[in-house]
Amino acid sequence: MTATDVGHPRTGTSGGGAMATCVFAVLRTGGRQAPALTPGHAGGGAVGLLPLPGGDLQAVVQDVPAADFTQEALRRRLGDPLELERCARAHHAVITAAAAGGAVVPLPLATLFTASGRASAALADRRDRILDVLDRVEGRAEWAVKVHVAQHAPAPPAADGKDPAAAPGRPGAGAAYLARVRGRERDRQARHEALLRVAGRVHEAAAAHAVAAVRRTPHGTAITGKDRPQVLNAAFLVDDSRATDLVAAVRALGGAHAGLDVHVEVSGPWVPYSFTSLGEEP
Amino acid sequence: MTAGGDVVPWLGPDSGAPLGVPLVDLLDRVLATGVVISGDLVIAIADVPLVRLSLHALLASVSERVPAPWSDGGPL
């Protein structure tokens, strides 16, 4: 299905430049259904299957122009939002299509080898780990749970701007100012703790239905919107049979909590990107 | 962004065209995928500083296009 030549950078048929092998994912051979194959990265050859030594694993690979994937070229391309989006979507499309053939271990975006032979040797070295991960994710999917809180704008500290200058000579002004500052700090703390509690509850509710969980740093308000802080950004590895339970459980937690308006978003099923690390250092 | 905490369906493997996936959700996963296996040509996305820079540009554009939940610091 794909070039299986073992060798050194080849010459592409179209551009005439050296080609490299991009590996998207690894999966078992002999699934009930053949993995579907999508076009992959622009400018590359057809996406195909590379059998790995041992016969029971195969990699989803594509020949891509090496010049597009040098460190320099990547810095340029991934610095361009449109190009980064294009790369990420192409990568995701290949991996999700391949998952039609069974559980997959997705490899990170732009995992490249100078030749397919090098790719298959590197993957063969990690064979045990790959098989473990495949066993772990078989029949399971990743579900993402995010929680946002609609924050009712705290009463604006009306005199805020003027405080430091407020009647410096008047007795008690300094103490009153400090008391206000302390009060605001207390409110802020209380709100913060309430947010953490909500995030914790949703996380626990989801985790009860999952076999593994990953909690990421919530995204900031620059992206979510000023009055809509994200308090939970988590991913769960879930047995397919329990997915609807997880969804129902976390959605039930949306709504009002101690004065906070909680929005729960669930998305999935995803290929288990967050649970398939092969644990390699670069 | 979905209303009221609905499940966000992405077009599954059958569609072969997961263009419906919100970009922020996609990047959250794709760019968080472990660490690169030791490819012998280029180790791309694990080069965190490089990607962070790119993400800031991308995320800024994401938030302009769709007010979507996403990162200050990127998923990495």
Side-chain angles (χ1 to χ4, degrees):
Chain A
M1 209 148 195
T2 186
T4 53
D5 53 307
V6 177
H8 291 289
R10 297 129 290 162
T11 299
T13 47
S14 49
M19 301 297 273
T21 299
C22 179
V23 184
F24 294 90
V26 181
L27 73 166
R28 291 183 201 277
T29 53
R32 276 192 317 181
Q33 203 181 335
L37 301 173
T38 63
H41 290 299
V47 173
L49 299 170
L50 172 71
L52 300 180
D56 52 352
L57 292 177
Q58 56 190 344
V60 180
V61 300
Q62 180 189 23
D63 280 354
V64 294
D68 288 350
F69 288 86
T70 62
Q71 203 64 271
E72 255 322 290
L74 280 169
R75 182 169 289 119
R76 183 169 37 74
R77 293 170 63 204
L78 301 182
D80 171 359
L82 284 180
E83 191 68 16
L84 174 54
E85 176 169 1
R86 211 172 293 138
C87 276
R89 288 199 185 281
H91 178 80
H92 178 65
V94 171
I95 288 170
T96 51
V104 299
V105 175
L107 298 191
L109 182 60
T111 300
L112 293 197
F113 296 87
T114 46
S116 59
R118 302 292 296 267
S120 87
L123 293 170
D125 286 347
R126 293 160 180 85
R127 179 188 157 77
D128 291 346
R129 174 76 184 136
I130 291 170
L131 289 170
D132 284 349
V133 174
L134 285 171
D135 284 343
R136 182 161 183 256
V137 300
E138 182 75 51
R140 294 170 171 161
E142 176 170 334
W143 289 77
V145 177
K146 292 183 292 186
V147 176
H148 298 87
V149 169
Q151 211 166 23
H152 306 297
D160 202 17
K162 291 179 285 177
D163 269 346
R170 195 153 37 98
Y177 169 70
L178 289 176
R180 276 200 303 280
V181 169
R182 263 187 235 110
R184 278 204 299 274
E185 177 60 17
R186 234 181 0 253
D187 290 352
R188 203 190 58 75
Q189 281 279 356
R191 215 165 45 237
H192 184 67
E193 279 162 22
L195 295 178
L196 289 181
R197 272 197 303 278
V198 166
R201 285 182 61 184
V202 175
H203 188 273
E204 278 168 30
H209 298 279
V211 295
V214 170
R215 210 163 153 169
R216 300 202 173 90
T217 310
H219 299 321
T221 47
I223 301 302
T224 60
K226 240 197 194 66
D227 50 354
R228 206 171 160 277
Q230 186 175 78
V231 297
L232 180 70
N233 181 20
F236 300 89
L237 183 64
V238 187
D239 286 333
D240 291 339
S241 61
R242 302 196 67 185
T244 50
D245 294 342
L246 178 139
V247 173
V250 297
R251 286 175 70 177
L253 290 174
H257 286 256
L260 298 167
D261 191 11
V262 176
H263 299 264
V264 179
E265 284 176 20
V266 188
S267 67
W270 294 87
V271 166
Y273 284 107
S274 308
F275 302 95
T276 43
S277 164
L278 294 178
E280 301 288 329
E281 288 306 317
Chain B
M1 194 72 44
T2 51
D6 286 346
V7 172
V8 180
W10 54 269
L11 310 179
D14 298 340
S15 76
L19 288 173
V21 180
L23 182 60
V24 289
D25 289 326
L26 177 63
L27 291 179
D28 233 357
R29 327 231 90 71
V30 167
L31 296 185
T33 306
V35 187
V36 176
I37 233 183
S38 309
D40 54 5
L41 186 60
V42 170
I43 308 301
I45 233 64
D47 189 343
V48 172
L50 178 159
V51 175
R52 280 232 174 104
L53 280 179
S54 313
L55 284 179
H56 281 301
L58 179 59
L59 292 174
S61 76
V62 167
S63 58
E64 282 160 22
R65 277 189 289 167
V66 220
W70 228 48
S71 167
D72 267 341
L76 295 171

